[in-house]
Amino acid sequence: MSNDHSFLADKIYLKTITMSYLFTSESVSEGHPDKVADQVSDALIDNFLAFDPESKVACETLVTTGQVVLAGEVKSKTYLDVQKIARDVINKIGYTKSEYMFDGNSCGVFSAIHEQSPDINQGVERANKEE
């Protein structure tokens, strides 16, 4: 009896697949809203962890003309004045004049940071800290 699959097992065909793709990258200059937003988010995380190393922080920052939006979920034993931290970062970067149409002293800072949901917390809390 002939095995139809024996022919396939005797020969191995290798086919090189060439995939084309386009790689893009964005580079922005110092003071760009994306960089400002990253620095504000980093400062929030750094401050939460400095005062409570067990903090769980997921935050995003949006920066536009005259406005900053802070959003995310936090579980921490500490309270932070997130608006003050955002303003301090913006001023430190150098946005200190109203002529820029964005400055740390007068921009609106809206905080939509709230307590971490129990569902998310269940996914990030560990019974054993070494896990």
Side-chain angles (χ1 to χ4, degrees):
M1 193 150 98
S2 164
N3 184 347
D4 292 337
H5 300 289
S6 63
F7 175 76
L8 295 174
D10 293 338
K11 297 185 181 188
I12 298 174
Y13 294 97
L14 296 176
K15 182 177 180 182
T16 303
I17 299 173
T18 304
M19 297 178 69
S20 64
Y21 60 92
L22 178 64
F23 177 80
T24 64
S25 179
E26 177 186 42
S27 178
V28 295
S29 62
E30 185 178 6
H32 186 278
D34 289 349
K35 290 196 182 245
V36 174
D38 288 345
Q39 289 183 50
V40 171
S41 292
D42 289 349
L44 292 176
I45 293 168
D46 290 347
N47 275 273
F48 273 110
L49 293 175
F51 291 101
D52 178 9
E54 301 298 317
S55 293
K56 307 294 186 275
V57 183
C59 69
E60 291 288 337
T61 302
L62 176 139
V63 175
T64 188
T65 304
Q67 294 290 313
V68 176
V69 177
L70 310 173
E73 295 189 351
V74 174
K75 180 177 181 188
S76 183
K77 295 175 186 167
T78 192
Y79 167 81
L80 296 179
D81 185 346
V82 295
Q83 291 186 3
K84 180 178 180 347
I85 293 168
R87 290 180 189 285
D88 289 348
V89 168
I90 294 163
N91 283 326
K92 185 176 178 185
I93 291 169
Y95 284 107
T96 57
K97 298 178 182 177
S98 60
E99 302 91 70
Y100 300 149
M101 302 202 42
F102 181 77
D103 73 276
N105 297 317
S106 66
C107 66
V109 180
F110 174 75
S111 177
I113 295 175
H114 54 88
E115 187 174 347
Q116 187 178 64
S117 72
D119 291 336
I120 298 294
N121 185 256
Q122 182 178 357
V124 297
E125 281 293 328
R126 304 284 183 249
N128 181 353
K129 291 184 183 191
E130 294 177 10
E131 289 181 23

